[in-house]
């Protein structure tokens, strides 16, 4: 037998309540599913005594980003950045368009100045070192296996102690513990919003308890 928990009471004209029923339930189901998954992932990190930050990614539903990002915060993790203005993130296409990681970082810095951080997505150790030397504050080690990630993160921290290391790409709730390391500051996970199970909600109209209620 499934456990049913009352989460809210909605009052109003029946027509208005029923018109908004399905959109409201869809929003609750989606955001509660995200928040629940975030809480589960946070529990895994806390149990392992990992002191870094779990975060979502840019992979949100078009038109629903505000709700999904808020759900991440409710679940206890970081939303990374809300939009493109939150931080400069240089990915492979930006680098290719600029000519090199160094040129891309310099171009970004000339625009954002000192007040914004720059993160660079790196596919190997050579790119990571170039990004750190160019002045990037955050290095994303993308699609690294856990073993390779730990070695790369240690080496980068030894050379650039102030740089933040982010692990990203292919991390799932099952494999998450494999990525924990004192040298990894951030782990971002697309599965927080992609393929996330929902939480089932329903709305039930209660009949009036007496004639007076019915007249109202």
């Amino acid at each position: 037998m499934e456990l049913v928990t009352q989460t809210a009471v909605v009052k109003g004209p029946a027509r208005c309540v029923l018109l908004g029923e399905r959109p409201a339930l869809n929003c609750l189901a989606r955001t509660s599913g995200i928040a629940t998954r975030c809480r589960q992932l946070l529990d895994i990190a806390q149990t392992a005594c990992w002191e870094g930050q779990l975060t979502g990614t840019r992979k949100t539903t078009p038109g629903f980003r505000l709700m999904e990002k808020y759900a991440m915060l409710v679940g206890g993790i970081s939303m990374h950045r809300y939009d493109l203005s939150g931080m400069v993130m240089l990915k492979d296409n930006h680098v290719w368009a600029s000519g090199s990681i160094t040129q891309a970082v310099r171009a970004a810095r000339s625009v954002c100045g000192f007040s914004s951080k720059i993160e660079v997505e790196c596919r190997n150790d050579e790119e990571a070192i170039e990004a750190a030397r160019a002045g990037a504050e955050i290095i994303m080690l993308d699609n690294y296996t856990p073993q390779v990630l730990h070695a790369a993160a240690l080496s980068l921290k030894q050379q650039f102690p102030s740089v933040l290391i982010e692990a990203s790409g292919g991390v799932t709730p099952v494999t998450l513990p494999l990525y924990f390391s004192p040298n990894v500051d951030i782990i971002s996970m697309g599965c927080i919003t992609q393929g996330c199970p929902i939480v089932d909600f329903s709305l039930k109209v209660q009949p009036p308890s007496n004639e007076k209620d019915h007249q109202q």
Side-chain angles (χ1 to χ4, degrees), residues 6 14-16 19 32-33 35 51 82 96 98 100 126 131 135 139 201:
Q6 179 176 300
R15 180 178 182 276
C16 296
L19 280 173
S32 295
E51 298 181 355
Y82 178 70
W96 291 333
S98 299
S100 70
E126 290 74 20
I139 305 299
F201 284 87

Side-chain angles (χ1 to χ4, degrees), residues 28 93 99 107 110 122 127 138 145 167 182 200 205:
L28 279 171
N93 289 332
S110 69
C122 301
E127 289 184 351
I138 307 173
T145 63
D200 187 28
V205 175

